[in-house]
Amino acid sequence: MDSLPSNQAVKRMIDQLVKRLEEANYAYHVLDQPILLDYEYDQLFHELKALEINNPELIASNSPTQRVGAKPLSTFQTMPHEMQMLSLDNAFTLQDILAFDRRIKSRLMHAKFTYICEPKLDGVAVNLLYESGQLIQGLTRGDGYYGESVTDNIRTIASIPLRLRGSDWPERLEVRGEIYIPKEKFKVMNADFVLVGKKPFANPRNAAAGSLRQLDSRITAERSLQMCCYSVGMMTGDPLKTQEQMLEKLNEWGFRVNPLIKTVKTIEACEVYYDAILERREALPYEIDGVVLKVNEFIHQKTLGVLVRAPRWAIARKFPAQEATTCLKVVEFQVGRTGTITPVGRITPISLGGVMISNVNLHNMQEIQRLGLCINDTVIVRRAGDVIPQIVGIASNSESTNRLPILMPIHCPSCQQKLIKTPGLVAIKCLAGLNCLAQKREAIKHFVSRKAMNIKGLGEQLIQKLLDQQLIQSAADLYLLTVDDWMKCDRMATRSIDNILKSLALSKQTTWKQFIYALGIHEVGESTAQILAHHFLNLNQLMVASQTELQQLPSIGETMADNISTFFKDPNNQAMIISLQNSGVTWPTNEIKMQHNAVLSGQNWVLTGKLSQMTQEQASDYLIALGAHVNPVISKKTNRLLIGDHPGSKLQKAKKLEIDIWSEVQFIELLKQYELL
Ligand code: IVH
């Protein structure tokens, strides 16, 4: 029988496993370059855990198994920072920045220096204390002199080393940086909160702060917090020379440092950096609220010194705000294409990120109740990317004495028909269909939209006028309008009329899929239209399809099948289709026929990267023809990822979730096998 390994040997095994896991952790969380697959990491982790369970005296404080959270605390202890944590002065304009540059130059008596430009992460500042390379303590910023000890919580954050890497680190060291939650993780976390009836966080910064200040660190461990470092406080040993050198060292010692940081020679170059980062702001996976400009050389920083709470050698160049407070004046109710009623808030106009905002989407009555909104409240409005501005909460200083409740409408604001709320569903609906003028207008808007018939130059106002003057009754009538009709409608210039007639004529050459989508059948979006287009060779086949046949297709359930067959049975819709065909709307015959033995049936595929033999759209067409679902994002449900060149983060995520990865070559083999190529 084999003898058990000696205590020494077990210790060596544990040390090796800890080291290997630390390396993998660093590669994944700090360098963004994974060296282990997820299951390999898990395997090593379980091996280590098993050894530790049998040898609890050998558990090292820096073991990755010790990151899962500790016993809950009853309160946070207040502790001093070894060196004060400074704050930053803000600059909002180019003038502010130029004045900052002049002040520096005059104080440095025109000595040579450089600036280092860093993205300003919008999270929570922390200060970590390392002694003999071990993480000893983690404090929040507090008042700059004293912070709260959140050490147990800090230890759960994977991008923070529990012990420093390498060997040239100082004996005692304070590391400063920002704790944040990536935008995607924030979205998922809030969606989960809503699911279980918890109040979601207003923004990723609040989510990071709330998660870091959990008395139970096991909760923090589940919150996907990250840390990016930007400075040191107290540090023993040889002093470093520049901020750039210090960031390099921090990275070597195991910390995440923002890769977008750049050293430049002039203030003009700082401004170019600011513009470039502002441009990338939306695309970045984390929230930033500006850039920080710092004099790079420590010797010059020392000369410049500190003024009360902020250094003279640094400034935060803030981006235009994306959040602002204003008054909610009125709530109106809009009718959507399928009759859903959506509340829209009219606010006192405000500028957000350089754009004037006067309307906000309030989604539904449940959202209004969740926010506890009333007319005349002072509200926080937020705009992010191309998302329609939202109200994220009532401002804490809102003290309106004239708060008026927002009442659910009883009748459709367009056709006055009584509204219906289906029990269990959030939406309230007008069921008048195309007898409701608003729904008719929305249906025509959908018909002309880019992914449908792609009729350019026909905006909402023009459609409304055509309807008001009864020049059209349905989308098909658009093709019957004469020059006289157009002149009657809007007293338009002949050139504009010419342009509209041209784009109407152009739109008649469409695709089978676009035509189906343009019909506006309830719940038939682009991907269902594609499925139908692949399965049915022509319009006649689709129009007479039975519900049973429809339901055999991927992702078409009972309701959808019912919507489709009801649509084609309606004589008004039949008349509209005939009229469209008589006007000359046509499409090429079906190119890729749906495979009846859909080999990929039930599989969820995601595509990423540039394919060399076909576009992503063509690849999706083939996948759908083989019965697969094609999704835009990777989730636990994804079965396969098809990758082209530069696959990006989807590939990493797929590896993490152990999703089957397919190359284009493999995919083409499959297509050939099924005679699609
Ligand atoms: S330097 C003097 N650098 O911004 C050093 N701060 O508004 C003070 N912040 O409390 C901090 N990114 O929480 C610095 N690259 C960066 C930063 C940064 C975000 C935060 C930090 C600070 C706040 C000041």
Side-chain angles (χ1 to χ4, degrees):
M1 201 177 92
D2 284 347
S3 60
L4 285 173
S6 70
N7 206 324
Q8 273 291 319
V10 175
K11 187 170 177 333
R12 258 202 313 277
M13 280 156 71
I14 287 185
D15 283 352
Q16 270 168 10
L17 281 168
V18 169
K19 215 160 163 214
R20 184 116 176 85
L21 287 164
E22 270 183 337
E23 282 302 317
N25 212 29
Y26 176 69
Y28 186 91
H29 292 283
V30 178
L31 303 180
D32 285 334
Q33 287 163 356
I35 52 170
L36 289 185
L37 291 173
D38 244 31
Y39 81 93
E40 291 173 322
Y41 184 95
D42 290 345
Q43 218 167 336
L44 294 179
F45 189 92
H46 286 122
E47 243 174 75
L48 173 63
K49 189 112 200 163
L51 286 173
E52 287 180 342
I53 287 173
N54 293 326
N55 303 276
E57 73 287 358
L58 296 180
I59 301 178
S61 65
N62 61 295
S63 167
T65 60
Q66 303 305 296
R67 283 190 186 270
V68 287
K71 259 203 270 152
L73 305 172
S74 52
T75 160
F76 295 118
Q77 240 190 317
T78 302
M79 302 292 282
H81 298 295
E82 299 259 332
M83 234 172 92
Q84 183 192 356
M85 279 186 88
L86 296 170
S87 185
L88 290 168
D89 277 341
N90 290 327
F92 295 98
T93 62
L94 177 60
Q95 281 71 29
D96 295 345
I97 287 294
L98 294 176
F100 165 74
D101 182 57
R102 278 195 301 274
R103 284 196 301 272
I104 289 185
K105 283 182 177 150
S106 101
R107 280 188 180 261
L108 292 182
M109 318 250 250
H110 298 276
K112 253 186 131 179
F113 71 96
T114 52
Y115 282 119
I116 183 159
C117 311
E118 307 176 358
K120 186 173 185 298
L121 272 147
D122 197 8
V124 199
V126 291
N127 183 26
L128 314 179
L129 179 64
Y130 286 83
E131 282 178 4
S132 310
Q134 301 286 336
L135 173 65
I136 298 296
Q137 174 182 272
L139 301 182
T140 59
R141 180 175 180 280
D143 63 2
Y145 297 97
Y146 289 88
E148 282 177 321
S149 173
V150 286
T151 313
D152 287 343
N153 297 350
I154 289 287
R155 291 176 60 87
T156 68
I157 302 174
S159 44
I160 297 178
L162 298 178
R163 70 170 163 185
L164 300 178
R165 288 171 56 82
S167 54
D168 66 340
W169 30 260
E171 184 52 28
R172 296 191 77 228
L173 170 72
E174 277 185 318
V175 178
R176 273 110 194 243
E178 204 80 352
I179 303 277
Y180 64 97
I181 290 193
K183 291 178 192 168
E184 266 313 306
K185 305 273 184 199
F186 166 74
K187 269 196 222 153
V188 173
M189 170 180 157
N190 258 1
D192 288 350
F193 270 37
V194 172
L195 262 185
V196 296
K198 276 203 265 182
K199 195 171 178 302
F201 286 108
N203 52 42
R205 178 179 9 96
N206 290 3
S211 303
L212 188 65
R213 291 193 79 266
Q214 285 290 333
L215 289 165
D216 186 345
S217 52
R218 287 166 302 191
I219 299 178
T220 312
E222 288 166 3
R223 293 285 174 85
S224 309
L225 291 175
Q226 294 200 4
M227 180 175 182
C228 209
C229 297
Y230 48 71
S231 73
V232 301
M234 175 271 309
M235 176 176 145
T236 56
D238 293 342
L240 301 169
K241 288 209 165 59
T242 62
Q243 168 79 2
E244 191 178 10
Q245 188 196 9
M246 179 191 73
L247 293 176
E248 253 166 50
K249 281 282 161 219
L250 284 176
N251 199 219
E252 278 171 37
W253 294 335
F255 297 95
R256 196 180 173 94
V257 172
N258 199 312
L260 300 176
I261 291 176
K262 194 172 171 193
T263 306
V264 298
K265 292 204 178 85
T266 63
I267 199 70
E268 288 75 22
C270 292
E271 197 58 17
V272 171
Y273 179 86
Y274 168 85
D275 287 338
I277 297 289
L278 179 55
E279 183 121 322
R280 290 183 66 167
R281 180 186 197 178
E282 294 307 334
L284 291 175
Y286 43 79
E287 294 266 0
I288 55 173
D289 59 346
V291 299
V292 185
L293 311 179
K294 298 172 182 171
V295 170
N296 188 23
E297 295 78 15
F298 290 150
I299 186 163
H300 294 320
Q301 288 190 2
K302 205 163 163 212
T303 312
L304 290 160
V306 171
L307 190 72
V308 196
R309 48 173 273 286
R312 285 204 193 84
W313 44 264
I315 201 154
R317 170 86 158 100
K318 299 290 282 273
F319 290 147
Q322 289 200 306
E323 238 178 60
T325 56
T326 186
C327 178
L328 177 64
K329 300 301 263 180
V330 182
V331 172
E332 284 171 10
F333 290 87
Q334 285 182 351
V335 191
R337 178 165 65 86
T338 57
T340 303
I341 308 291
T342 307
V344 175
R346 310 275 178 223
I347 52 172
T348 309
I350 37 152
S351 166
L352 269 190
V355 178
M356 282 309 280
I357 309 285
S358 42
N359 300 325
V360 287
N361 187 351
L362 289 167
H363 303 285
N364 50 53
M365 287 309 288
Q366 208 176 39
E367 174 72 357
I368 291 175
Q369 279 153 15
R370 183 182 76 74
L371 293 165
L373 276 187
C374 281
I375 306 285
N376 291 327
D377 276 345
T378 305
V379 291
I380 307 168
V381 176
R382 183 174 173 77
R383 179 179 159 264
D386 48 8
V387 179
I388 306 162
Q390 322 267 325
I391 290 185
V392 292
I394 300 176
S396 53
N397 60 356
S398 177
E399 46 192 38
S400 162
T401 47
N402 190 19
R403 299 185 80 212
L404 303 172
I406 300 165
L407 301 175
M408 185 165 99
I410 295 169
H411 295 104
C412 171
S414 174
C415 70
Q416 311 309 322
Q417 178 147 325
K418 200 156 186 269
L419 298 174
I420 306 293
K421 178 166 179 346
T422 315
L425 291 183
V426 188
I428 38 172
K429 284 192 149 205
C430 164
L431 299 183
L434 293 180
N435 294 323
C436 168
L437 196 62
Q439 286 178 61
K440 204 184 269 183
R441 182 193 60 224
E442 294 305 307
I444 299 173
K445 266 169 67 186
H446 171 80
F447 183 84
V448 305
S449 65
R450 192 173 58 82
K451 289 177 177 168
M453 297 303 284
N454 192 20
I455 304 171
K456 298 202 175 80
L458 247 181
E460 172 164 355
Q461 284 181 1
L462 206 46
I463 295 171
Q464 185 67 56
K465 277 189 187 163
L466 290 168
L467 284 168
D468 288 347
Q469 296 181 29
Q470 303 197 340
L471 289 164
I472 56 170
Q473 288 301 324
S474 78
D477 295 347
L478 289 171
Y479 292 106
L480 307 177
L481 292 171
T482 61
V483 175
D484 276 359
D485 291 332
W486 284 108
M487 299 231 305
K488 238 189 276 166
C489 164
D490 202 32
R491 271 188 270 121
M492 279 192 283
T494 336
R495 242 188 68 203
S496 316
I497 296 177
D498 255 14
N499 285 342
I500 291 194
L501 289 175
K502 261 191 209 136
S503 64
L504 274 162
L506 263 178
S507 74
K508 288 183 192 172
Q509 303 293 326
T510 185
T511 65
W512 179 208
K513 169 187 147 187
Q514 275 178 285
F515 180 79
I516 298 174
Y517 176 67
L519 292 175
I521 307 168
H522 284 200
E523 291 180 44
V524 175
E526 262 188 290
S527 61
T528 312
Q530 196 165 22
I531 291 168
L532 294 171
H534 281 304
H535 184 82
F536 297 100
L537 287 180
N538 57 44
L539 185 57
N540 277 350
Q541 276 190 9
L542 173 61
M543 286 181 80
V544 298
S546 69
Q547 289 209 25
T548 331
E549 183 174 5
L550 288 163
Q551 276 188 57
Q552 274 160 9
L553 297 180
S555 71
I556 296 188
E558 202 181 321
T559 326
M560 185 104 80
D562 188 35
N563 289 346
I564 297 168
S565 60
T566 311
F567 180 90
F568 288 114
K569 277 191 198 124
D570 182 329
N572 288 326
N573 294 333
Q574 289 173 359
M576 179 178 81
I577 290 170
I578 291 170
S579 169
L580 287 170
Q581 288 191 307
N582 288 342
S583 298
V585 172
T586 60
W587 52 87
T589 47
N590 212 359
E591 281 155 15
I592 307 170
K593 168 90 177 74
M594 189 78 179
Q595 296 288 306
H596 284 285
N597 56 342
V599 279
L600 306 184
S601 162
Q603 290 190 14
N604 291 301
W605 284 65
V606 173
L607 285 81
T608 184
K610 193 168 165 24
L611 300 169
S612 62
Q613 307 289 313
M614 61 187 89
T615 63
Q616 280 204 5
E617 196 163 10
Q618 284 165 329
S620 314
D621 283 354
Y622 285 126
L623 283 167
I624 291 169
L626 289 170
H629 300 266
V630 180
N631 298 308
V633 289
I634 294 196
S635 70
K636 280 187 188 145
K637 283 194 194 151
T638 309
N639 306 94
R640 284 178 176 165
L641 176 72
L642 174 61
I643 57 165
D645 272 357
H646 307 297
S649 63
K650 279 188 190 160
L651 177 59
Q652 278 179 26
K653 192 159 180 200
K655 281 186 179 165
K656 218 171 146 188
L657 293 173
E658 292 178 42
I659 288 163
D660 199 5
I661 292 158
W662 274 52
S663 69
E664 189 178 355
V665 177
Q666 274 174 296
F667 182 58
I668 286 173
E669 277 302 303
L670 180 89
L671 296 184
K672 284 186 181 154
Q673 197 182 333
Y674 288 94
E675 292 172 356
L676 285 168
L677 272 186

